[in-house]
Amino acid sequence: MIKVGIIGATGYAGQELVRIITQHPDAELVTLTSQSYAGKAYEDVYSNYRHLSYICQEEDIEKMADMCDVIFLALPHGVASKKITDDILNKVKIIDLGADFRLQDIDTYEKWYTTHYSKNILPEAIYGLCEINRDKIKNKRIVANPGCYTTCSILSMYPLVKEGIIDNSSIIIDAKSGATGAGRGLSLPNHYCELNESVKAYKIASHRHTPEIEEQLSYAAGENIVINFTPHLIPMDRGILATCYANLNNKYTYEDIKSVYEKHYGNEYFIRLTKEGTFPETKWVKGSNFTDIGFAIDERTNRIIVIGAIDNLFKGAAGQAVQNMNILFGLDEKTGIDFVPIFPA
Amino acid sequence: MIKVGIIGATGYAGQELVRIITQHPDAELVTLTSQSYAGKAYEDVYSNYRHLSYICQEEDIEKMADMCDVIFLALPHGVASKKITDDILNKVKIIDLGADFRLQDIDTYEKWYTTHYSKNILPEAIYGLCEINRDKIKNKRIVANPGCYTTCSILSMYPLVKEGIIDNSSIIIDAKSGATGAGRGLSLPNHYCELNESVKAYKIASHRHTPEIEEQLSYAAGENIVINFTPHLIPMDRGILATCYANLNNKYTYEDIKSVYEKHYGNEYFIRLTKEGTFPETKWVKGSNFTDIGFAIDERTNRIIVIGAIDNLFKGAAGQAVQNMNILFGLDEKTGIDFVPIFPA
Amino acid sequence: MIKVGIIGATGYAGQELVRIITQHPDAELVTLTSQSYAGKAYEDVYSNYRHLSYICQEEDIEKMADMCDVIFLALPHGVASKKITDDILNKVKIIDLGADFRLQDIDTYEKWYTTHYSKNILPEAIYGLCEINRDKIKNKRIVANPGCYTTCSILSMYPLVKEGIIDNSSIIIDAKSGATGAGRGLSLPNHYCELNESVKAYKIASHRHTPEIEEQLSYAAGENIVINFTPHLIPMDRGILATCYANLNNKYTYEDIKSVYEKHYGNEYFIRLTKEGTFPETKWVKGSNFTDIGFAIDERTNRIIVIGAIDNLFKGAAGQAVQNMNILFGLDEKTGIDFVPIFPA
Amino acid sequence: MIKVGIIGATGYAGQELVRIITQHPDAELVTLTSQSYAGKAYEDVYSNYRHLSYICQEEDIEKMADMCDVIFLALPHGVASKKITDDILNKVKIIDLGADFRLQDIDTYEKWYTTHYSKNILPEAIYGLCEINRDKIKNKRIVANPGCYTTCSILSMYPLVKEGIIDNSSIIIDAKSGATGAGRGLSLPNHYCELNESVKAYKIASHRHTPEIEEQLSYAAGENIVINFTPHLIPMDRGILATCYANLNNKYTYEDIKSVYEKHYGNEYFIRLTKEGTFPETKWVKGSNFTDIGFAIDERTNRIIVIGAIDNLFKGAAGQAVQNMNILFGLDEKTGIDFVPIFPA
């Protein structure tokens, strides 16, 4: 049994991680911590755990490193980079659900986020987008678990960029997220009556997932890519839909593009390509690790429109984190995360 | 592996059954049928199954009886009672999610429903409310899986009735259900914009779960009980909350009543009694087989208010059906249905 | 033009009041105040007012009393009772949307709320339930605008209690409210993902609207009435549904009861009795001052079930407050509040 | 009083029209028709009208033309073009909420829709986008009321196209609509549990509002424009948000672009430009005729992102139709449609 510790277990992503780990056949939740709720019964923070008896612990990463085989961090940005040392990495695998180790370009990180406190460690961190980086993840000590929007956006566009199908300067990603993406922290915009029955864009041309998408797509393209990314908030709990636009470099048929996607994803269990004329909807991936991808070509404008859908808390956070754990520990990648999407829910 | 057949697999309860069975470690889905979608890929009916390849079959219960160890029926009332014969029961276990075998009193059945076509078989059917009838279920050939409202209502009130704590003529159950309870059939009241952002009562003093609750509570009481039951439709997908009122027969403290509930449910894994001052909410049981129960005593009126919560599709339908299967086949009752509730979803 | 001031204009009820007054043909909004947002543009607090240019003022009730003909107070309980003096009442009419002047029984007020600071003024306050107390309101200096649950509950049960149709000790009111009832103040239970897709009861046997309902029904009955009242929170913005139960004193037909309701409400524009077999739903009164009422008799238990529906922010708060203003100033009661319910919304 | 007839009064847009007209100070609803509900009380179709007593009539446009000053048509495409004759237009003004008279290019109409049956009348129809075509509307006999998506999209992009600010070949409009946009007709995708808690794109590269946007923007540009338009369905009742992308032709500051919008919309009562850094949300225009517009410039890509928001049933259908009526009859354009947006609702 893999001994698991979770730091930051009382946010939405942390809780989803607890839910998955407590049901994982090869993992055991050894300890969970919470800054806000230390000492409190976990069931009093999340009453879906009424039948379990976890207590929120004070965080002590040194101690946890001795007790655990892997530690998941679900923390605000800037916090993880202060905690991780070479010493800790010698004792325990780290899977960081935050942003601190996702961008290899430190200038970009510090421009979009804050000062980085583990510049020495950053180079060995691997971007844990499993379907793309699987082989590079295996032997790492630290995995940067991708962001929710980024997971959905990159997986949607990767084959097109990799294969040089599109004009890389023309990429526009218009994304829609459920409210869990905004977390459990109180704020007026996330108050029920303020968010319900309305839709809005936010952080237009300024969302921090933008450089993350750009860096990964740039790796795939072998050239620097700059995109437009616009997130929207949808009155629902879970789910991300990314509607991606790009100009095609040539005339392509549906079958041409389909074969590009199949080349990269044909054997990927957790990526499901939709049939021609059908498109992903967030409901069909809810509570699962699947990414559904579909596309259409607009012959009038010679643009491609790719739609991707994930569950932001699952494939977009905790599920992919456990997928990374499975890779790190040599398990079947599906172990403990192979849920059929729950519907209607 | 238990070989499972599902008749009526394309309604919401049927789909939930497919979801549970396909993830059950000791069961195998051999065949699923659908009157409306025969011949169609199941993933085209429910795209959460994009990674699986079931085909909806024409129903042929005789053939299924030969192929399967157990058949689940998820059909409109009046249909199951026409299909079940002694012959079939000799070949296969039947778990009926419909109403046809729930009421032992045929007059009541025919008054509230329609003509009953298996009067000879009815007496051997057991009401599959697992926590109450576990021992009587084990050796049965046919189990009548309880209704959603009834499961929640009976479990909430059973200890009080069984122990003679309340005036049985004073029971009022005001229940609230998510929209999955109304099924997948199209109708104006269940059209999105008609149901959204509104609440209503329906089938006031006339809902068919009324006699079902009455019959079971009457067994517990050893006397005939008549109740008021009012269902309401809530703008959400899943969940039932039952708010139950009754006059106490005496002065009781919170502790007195608590001990009554603990006597009956203290060892029940799937029943979780809430702490004093906290009460069930449907979100904390979503996607799980749990029934959460809490209560308060109003000293001013000497009434007790009991609140019960379940997931109507899980404990209120498919989950309990599989719990019954587990009992019938001698498995640990929790096998394949021991999900931590999913939140937020 | 009636000169209007609003104190506490940035809560949900306060904002609804601003919305109604700014569209009222015979009233003029002279000033609005907000403790939290003083100095801020109102459109920055509520962007539906982007086309208007109100500024939130510091509260100064003395100054407002000189400027206005009527002041609406939308404040937390305990605050209004400190502000109102005989001096102010000599200058300006007061319509208080809070609880401080609703209960004539000071002991009850202080038991359920807090110390009362205007005991001398309380006796002249009139409970502004327009359909019941219209004639007593006309010449008052101060009106206590009823609570949302209470408006719906009392109007639903008043004719039965007044005419001695039911056993007054048997009244149970199971009420359901949209989330605006919980106000705009931040709290975890009202965070979007915590409230969405779930239903719960709260303040069971302890909600402060209980004694308010009891006092008014007791006046109608001429005897002391104690009831059970259970509020529930529904995942929607607006609306209250009250499901009321009582034992009938005799055998009554539907027509008998109907004539009782028609006797009291037959000429009330803002009360709409539903046809036999149809029942109120909150969507049909949204954005309006209507109270819809319907009922059924359960012959099996000889209980009556009465359903009432209102928009909690309109008839349950701001709309009725303006209805009271219209009465105080001798206008047609419908002036400025005669909106057709908006649907679907 | 303007005598008004409404054909197709029982769809969502038709009902909104009834709601506005019955509250309009200078209009009188003379008759309303419904193919599906002829003979039925309107309150039985929409119970928000419980206090009114309209009866759904059989449609007889000839008769209506004699009785009315203006007839609104809210019909499926292809139906209106069969009904309108020169004879009728000599008797009564026509405001058509359907698509039949919106496209002046008949080939485009017949390619995207169906055969057109009033080719002779089409040239005199005016596209009733009031803020753009006000002066051309005044003396017309027939007004083609714009579509919901188109109203929002065109108003958002018009100043940029008109002033030559953007590369017209680069326009991408990613739009999000509430479920009322899909109408009241029953269908599985609009069944409550299928639409709730999910988001999807639909009619990708094939939605019929595409050529309508293109035709109008082409008029503004003086050249042929082809765009990408992708509609999405959002789990809410009302509202459209259009997120519009285009490449800027030059380097522009925020102030540059702001002045372009102010030039065209600075005096438009029903268009509200948001402040820098704030953006439209559908909730702030709900139940009103306002169009809120905001924008950001992404300097990294030199693209502009324009966000527009309307209430699809109001400014996107019935409200703008009445705005057109007001123009046709020489009333103040705001008459009867100057509602403050309702919030939260």
Side-chain angles (χ1 to χ4, degrees), chain D residues 73 110 290 337:
Chain D
L73 305 179
E110 297 198 331
F290 292 107
I337 52 173

Side-chain angles (χ1 to χ4, degrees), chain A residues 65-81:
Chain A
D66 292 328
M67 296 161 60
C68 301
D69 300 313
V70 60
I71 298 174
F72 293 92
L73 306 179
L75 295 167
H77 68 264
V79 180
S81 83

Side-chain angles (χ1 to χ4, degrees), chain B residues 31-49:
Chain B
T31 184
L32 60 82
T33 82
S34 166
Q35 194 178 357
S36 323
Y37 295 102
K40 202 161 181 181
Y42 198 62
E43 67 166 307
D44 291 340
V45 186
Y46 286 105
S47 297
N48 43 335
Y49 294 86

Side-chain angles (χ1 to χ4, degrees), chain A residues 127-311:
Chain A
Y127 190 74
L129 190 55
C130 307
E131 283 75 13
I132 310 298
N133 289 338
R134 182 178 291 122
D135 294 336
K136 297 181 191 155
I137 293 165
K138 278 182 199 162
N139 301 308
K140 291 288 181 178
R141 300 191 299 173
I142 177 165
V143 178
N145 204 60
C148 51
Y149 281 124
T150 49
T151 294
C152 191
S153 300
I154 298 167
L155 289 177
S156 295
M157 294 304 281
Y158 176 82
L160 300 180
V161 170
K162 184 77 180 176
E163 303 294 331
I165 303 293
I166 57 173
D167 172 357
N168 290 329
S169 73
S170 72
I171 300 173
I172 291 173
I173 300 176
D174 189 286
K176 295 91 182 164
S177 174
T180 47
R184 209 186 201 197
L186 301 185
S187 71
L188 188 56
N190 298 323
H191 193 63
Y192 182 81
C193 299
E194 306 283 322
L195 198 157
N196 190 38
E197 291 292 298
S198 191
V199 61
K200 67 169 177 184
Y202 67 101
K203 293 189 186 161
I204 299 169
S206 62
H207 193 282
R208 284 161 169 157
H209 285 181
T210 311
E212 191 180 326
I213 300 168
E214 289 174 345
E215 189 174 292
Q216 295 301 317
L217 291 185
S218 296
Y219 291 151
E223 65 171 15
N224 195 39
I225 293 183
V226 181
I227 66 164
N228 268 102
F229 172 72
T230 314
H232 296 74
L233 193 55
I234 304 298
M236 62 182 194
D237 285 342
R238 287 183 184 229
I240 282 178
L241 193 84
T243 309
C244 311
Y245 301 87
N247 297 336
L248 291 167
N249 276 336
N250 264 300
K251 287 283 171 197
Y252 292 103
T253 65
Y254 184 87
E255 292 302 322
D256 293 337
I257 303 294
K258 188 181 164 194
S259 68
V260 169
Y261 276 94
E262 284 179 343
K263 172 180 170 190
H264 288 275
Y265 297 149
N267 295 319
E268 291 295 340
Y269 179 77
F270 285 126
I271 296 182
R272 307 187 302 188
L273 304 175
T274 64
K275 297 179 191 170
E276 186 169 3
T278 67
F279 297 93
E281 308 181 22
T282 59
K283 69 184 167 201
W284 301 125
V285 296
K286 197 171 190 177
S288 86
N289 201 53
F290 292 108
T291 303
D292 282 6
I293 298 175
F295 67 91
I297 296 167
D298 188 344
E299 295 183 0
R300 302 162 72 252
T301 59
N302 204 33
R303 284 199 192 98
I304 187 165
I305 303 102
V306 186
I307 313 278
I310 63 166
D311 179 324

Side-chain angles (χ1 to χ4, degrees), chain D residues 243-274:
Chain D
T243 309
C244 312
Y245 302 87
N247 298 336
L248 291 167
N249 275 337
N250 263 300
K251 286 285 171 196
Y252 291 104
T253 64
Y254 183 86
E255 291 302 321
D256 292 337
I257 304 294
K258 189 181 163 194
S259 68
V260 168
Y261 277 94
E262 284 179 343
K263 172 180 169 188
H264 287 274
Y265 297 151
N267 294 319
E268 289 296 339
Y269 180 77
F270 284 126
I271 296 184
R272 306 187 302 187
L273 304 175
T274 64

